Amino acid sequence: WRASATVRSARSSTAKRALDSRGITLRRCKEKFHRKKSTIGEGTYMLFAIYLAMTGLFVLLGVVFAAGKGTGLIAGYNTASAEEKENYDKKKLCKAMSRLMFALAGCWLVTASSEIFKKIALLWIGLALFLIVSVVGAVYVNRATKIENHGTKI
């Protein structure tokens, strides 16, 4: 044990001498390494850009659906037979999907704000909202867009 401690101390003193011989002291190296970093790093910008890109994607889809287009982008509707498509009001479907896309964009903005304010709670709130809005929105879109037949929904 003593021999290994002596070797370790010899190695560390050799390293200190080597650093000192090049004009760099160990203290300056430590100061350089432990210098306080800026509050917003490169990784933060990248995450923020990804969050904003997702928000932009949902806003773009919301605009497309608000214009009454894009029913081919709706999973299930685009593969449905013509008879099944008759059970849905296309205009109501696009309007409901537009609302859903804008709500999901809002959830991503909450998530993006977690990078600005450096609060992990905002990240979890945004992700939970996204999950809840997705599930509730899917049920809403399915129920609200069916055509009523003699007072009962099909």
Side-chain angles (χ1 to χ4, degrees):
W1 180 78
R2 286 185 183 213
S4 64
T6 307
V7 170
R8 266 189 257 133
S9 67
R11 283 185 193 157
S12 64
S13 63
T14 306
K16 285 179 188 176
R17 271 187 256 121
L19 286 173
D20 285 337
S21 66
R22 286 184 285 161
I24 302 171
T25 63
L26 189 58
R27 177 186 234 176
R28 284 177 40 207
C29 286
K30 283 183 179 178
E31 286 174 0
K32 211 178 220 185
F33 181 75
H34 293 293
R35 199 173 282 160
K36 185 170 179 157
K37 306 226 183 331
S38 65
T39 56
I40 298 178
E42 292 176 18
T44 300
Y45 287 129
M46 183 61 74
L47 269 176
F48 189 66
I50 290 170
Y51 293 149
L52 288 184
M54 290 300 295
T55 302
L57 176 69
F58 283 117
V59 168
L60 179 67
L61 286 172
V63 169
V64 168
F65 287 129
K69 309 287 183 197
T71 54
L73 298 173
I74 302 171
Y77 186 80
N78 61 352
T79 57
S81 65
E83 298 158 353
E84 290 175 349
K85 286 182 181 181
E86 289 175 3
N87 294 333
Y88 291 92
D89 184 1
K90 187 176 176 179
K91 189 174 180 180
K92 281 185 180 179
L93 181 64
C94 285
K95 189 174 181 180
M97 286 300 294
S98 172
R99 288 178 180 164
L100 178 62
M101 293 299 119
F102 289 131
L104 291 175
C107 294
W108 274 107
L109 280 177
V110 172
T111 305
S113 68
S114 71
E115 288 300 316
I116 295 171
F117 299 115
K118 296 290 187 199
K119 301 288 183 189
I120 196 74
L122 287 174
L123 174 72
W124 288 109
I125 290 169
L127 293 176
L129 279 174
F130 186 83
L131 181 67
I132 292 168
V133 167
S134 297
V135 172
V136 171
V139 172
Y140 166 74
V141 168
N142 189 29
R143 297 205 182 252
T145 61
K146 285 193 177 179
I147 297 175
E148 290 186 23
N149 192 7
H150 302 293
T152 60
K153 290 189 176 187
I154 298 176

